[in-house]
Amino acid sequence: MSHIPRILIVGGGYVGMYTALRLQRRLRRGEARVTVVDADSYMTYQPFLPEAAAGNIEPRHVVVPLRRVLHRCEIVNGWAVGVDLQARTLEVHPHQGPPRTLPYDILVFAPGSVSRLLPIPGVAECGIGFKTVEEAIHLRNHVLAQLDLAASTEDEEVRSRALTFVFVGGGYAGVEALAELEDMARDACRYFPSVDPGDMRWILVEATDRILPEVGPDMGRWTLEQLRARGIDVRLNTRIESAEGGRVVLDDGGEFDSATLVWTAGVKPHPLVRASGLPLDDRGRVRATAELTVEGHPAVFTAGDCAAVPDLTKPGQTCAPNAQHAVRQARTLADNVVAALRGTERKAYRHAYAGSVASLGLHRGVAQIYGRKLRGFPAWFMHRTYHLSRVPTFNRKVRVLIDWTLALFFRREITSLGALSDPRKEFEFAARPESRIPERAERPVREGRPGPRAAEERSGSPAPAERR
Ligand SMILES: Cc1cc2nc3c(=O)[nH]c(=O)nc-3n(C[C@H](O)[C@H](O)[C@H](O)COP(=O)(O)OP(=O)(O)OC[C@H]3O[C@@H](n4cnc5c(N)ncnc54)[C@H](O)[C@@H]3O)c2cc1C
């Protein structure tokens, strides 16, 4: 029986999924088999994460199930942990069971990036990133839970800590996540009579002297003014020194307690890149040729956030890590894999960065596309139209459109479903009620005469002194 070449794709994100989609369309039956290895069973459309966090889009609609769209490919879920470039094999650890060794003829290496963390005391313990749908949904539940907490406590310190939200990093992930969540929380305040929007502190800490470089200096300055006009405390040229126990200390002298620290200060190549043995540049990215093969390894292709791809429109520079490049690189990469199989000529990747669009909350946005600057509603509308046209599959487009249409007619949901991440809590309580409610005899007994608060709690109405 003749050998059918195996194309092994590491990472089912932007590059991996779009490459596999194009390969399954272009490859002839029996020409090659395609296997995609990813820790998750879905691809995440990251530009929609801020809207998912704000409750404008259902979380399930910002992810694309790999098995449904890649019906001609094999999907293996697990962590790729190492590549043997001599033997042409990939070691994969499925989430359970023994490791697997998968042979390949052509490897597409696209594990993307992870948050770039700095060794700042407390950040790894208290912080959270904003790269995955799990993080976005956790943050939505967490912010709403902080409003619930602030409305329910009488302790000023607890309240102030709950209502202080800190974001570190002013790129599009940080600015969009902060702007959308602040918009959502401000809107939710109408259901919390004891929480005024002005009681909340939203702080953006940025180490350089500008935010949102993706939309250019003018639009970045405009965005800064807009955020400050909304009461958001944007601190430029400022770094976080520590966040131990949620006590945030800044190098401009600022110091406060916060229950929310979101880390969006850039990305670095996935740790698998260093373990791969592939040649790296000074930023730890895989050195790619313009044809998207790895330098010195013609059977290994790479692209996306993990790769240093030469930007042919700006000689001497490499492409920035963004979806705009990742999607287009995937197209060229897939065509070059087909060319490698058929022995035909490969193409070089070339794309001039078109600019960027960012959402700053409902009906507010900023954009710079092909030199055209847009702000406010037109930019927000463009953001939605552009991403709707880009989100993969017709099915997802329709679902996102329905979410947006429903949001026009109904108010946002304000329930925190944070307990979803701990579903056994109630069952454990049923088994061991004493874990939450002390036995009657053990309850603390107040000494002396009951105060006004105790009287209020017994009668259910405000104490006389407070009624006045
Ligand atoms: C909040 C946010 C908003 C953004 N908005 C925009 C925007 O508006 N415009 C824009 O151009 N760009 C945007 N980006 C950037 C864009 O999403 C990324 O540049 C793009 O996802 C990079 O694609 P990739 O394929 O390299 O990596 P990814 O899409 O991250 O895919 C990598 C995949 O590899 C998998 N993986 C990693 N390691 C392993 C392993 N060891 N084993 C198995 N699987 C593994 C991961 O699970 C993941 O599925 C945004 C990013 C974020 C976080």
Side-chain angles (χ1 to χ4, degrees):
M1 212 172 75
S2 66
H3 170 75
I4 298 180
R6 183 189 227 171
I7 302 164
L8 194 52
I9 302 179
V10 180
Y14 264 90
V15 171
M17 192 201 70
Y18 279 103
T19 300
L21 272 176
R22 196 165 173 90
L23 284 174
Q24 75 175 8
R25 211 174 60 236
R26 289 210 53 201
L27 288 174
R28 293 190 284 260
R29 196 163 289 279
E31 194 174 6
R33 56 193 277 227
V34 181
T35 303
V36 180
V37 178
D38 198 297
D40 299 320
S41 60
Y42 51 81
M43 175 263 190
T44 305
Y45 190 80
Q46 288 175 337
F48 274 156
L49 289 181
E51 287 224 53
N56 299 332
I57 304 179
E58 269 292 303
R60 277 199 174 77
H61 301 164
V62 303
V63 297
V64 181
L66 295 176
R67 287 191 170 78
R68 188 189 300 170
V69 296
L70 300 177
H71 45 87
R72 287 186 59 201
C73 303
E74 179 197 12
I75 311 293
V76 175
N77 290 128
W79 289 105
V81 296
V83 188
D84 186 333
L85 296 164
Q86 299 300 321
R88 293 200 176 184
T89 57
L90 177 80
E91 188 181 344
V92 180
H93 287 187
H95 296 308
Q96 274 190 12
R100 292 179 65 183
T101 302
L102 304 180
Y104 65 80
D105 296 279
I106 291 178
L107 181 70
V108 177
F109 191 72
S113 56
V114 294
S115 297
R116 193 181 56 221
L117 262 176
L118 302 173
I120 297 171
V123 167
E125 291 75 28
C126 310
I128 182 167
F130 198 79
K131 270 187 71 64
T132 65
V133 69
E134 293 84 356
E135 289 168 331
I137 301 318
H138 168 82
L139 266 170
R140 169 176 174 69
N141 286 321
H142 173 79
V143 168
L144 290 169
Q146 298 313 301
L147 296 184
D148 286 331
L149 180 57
S152 310
T153 183
E154 290 178 338
D155 185 315
E156 260 318 306
E157 273 181 29
V158 172
R159 182 181 152 87
S160 149
R161 187 173 189 273
L163 293 179
T164 303
F165 306 94
V166 183
F167 286 66
V168 182
Y172 48 45
V175 169
E176 283 193 296
L178 179 146
E180 289 283 357
L181 281 163
E182 190 268 350
D183 194 57
M184 188 255 321
R186 178 177 289 272
D187 190 48
C189 278
R190 72 178 69 225
Y191 303 105
F192 295 85
S194 60
V195 181
D196 184 80
D199 296 343
M200 297 188 291
R201 281 181 83 188
W202 290 81
I203 301 159
L204 177 61
V205 181
E206 166 56 46
T208 68
D209 60 355
R210 49 100 191 94
I211 58 168
L212 222 53
E214 294 85 355
V215 294
D218 292 352
M219 292 292 94
R221 268 193 298 277
W222 180 83
T223 308
L224 179 64
E225 285 162 20
Q226 291 298 306
L227 295 182
R228 284 184 169 156
R230 276 163 67 172
I232 295 166
D233 180 359
V234 185
R235 302 191 181 204
L236 301 180
N237 298 312
T238 306
R239 287 166 198 273
I240 182 165
E241 283 187 341
S242 66
E244 282 169 302
R247 180 88 188 151
V248 177
V249 180
L250 304 178
D251 69 356
D252 66 354
E255 199 171 331
F256 40 81
D257 287 319
S258 170
T260 314
L261 176 65
V262 186
W263 189 265
T264 52
V267 294
K268 64 176 185 186
H270 193 282
L272 176 64
V273 171
R274 197 157 284 282
S276 68
L278 294 167
L280 308 183
D281 76 345
D282 53 355
R283 282 150 68 183
R285 299 172 302 171
V286 181
R287 299 175 78 96
T289 65
E291 293 170 351
L292 302 176
T293 53
V294 175
E295 279 182 13
H297 296 269
V300 184
F301 288 76
T302 190
D305 284 9
C306 73
V309 176
D311 185 345
L312 297 185
T313 67
K314 292 182 190 151
Q317 294 188 32
T318 51
C319 298
N322 58 49
Q324 199 179 121
H325 280 302
V327 172
R328 289 169 175 83
Q329 286 169 356
R331 204 179 302 149
T332 307
L333 194 160
D335 288 346
N336 285 348
V337 168
V338 174
L341 287 171
R342 296 180 186 164
T344 55
E345 203 183 328
R346 301 176 193 187
K347 290 184 299 189
Y349 173 73
R350 185 186 189 91
H351 168 68
Y353 187 62
S356 220
V357 285
S359 161
L360 303 175
L362 213 54
H363 304 156
R364 294 181 271 204
V366 61
Q368 164 135 254
I369 298 281
Y370 295 117
R372 277 204 67 186
K373 296 168 187 170
L374 293 174
R375 56 191 81 175
F377 184 83
W380 173 80
F381 188 72
M382 179 176 227
H383 163 84
R384 286 203 157 179
T385 329
Y386 173 77
H387 284 301
L388 191 65
S389 72
R390 293 283 150 180
V391 70
T393 80
F394 180 69
N395 177 308
R396 283 299 175 266
K397 291 185 206 301
V398 173
R399 286 176 190 268
V400 168
L401 200 58
I402 291 173
D403 288 343
W404 284 341
T405 311
L406 288 176
L408 286 177
F409 298 105
F410 300 103
R411 301 214 75 90
R412 291 190 241 221
E413 295 294 340
I414 57 149
T415 319
S416 165
L417 288 180
L420 281 179
S421 58
D422 192 6
R424 294 194 66 252
K425 201 169 65 182
E426 204 51 36
F427 193 66
E428 282 171 358
F429 168 61
R432 280 187 298 280
E434 66 281 4
S435 62
R436 218 185 297 166
I437 300 178
E439 289 294 321
R440 207 170 166 71
E442 292 169 15
R443 276 192 212 161
V445 180
R446 286 192 209 180
E447 290 183 357
R449 283 179 52 217
R453 182 65 56 201
E456 176 192 337
E457 280 169 4
R458 275 199 314 274
S459 70
S461 57
E466 292 182 5
R467 254 185 246 139
R468 272 200 302 274

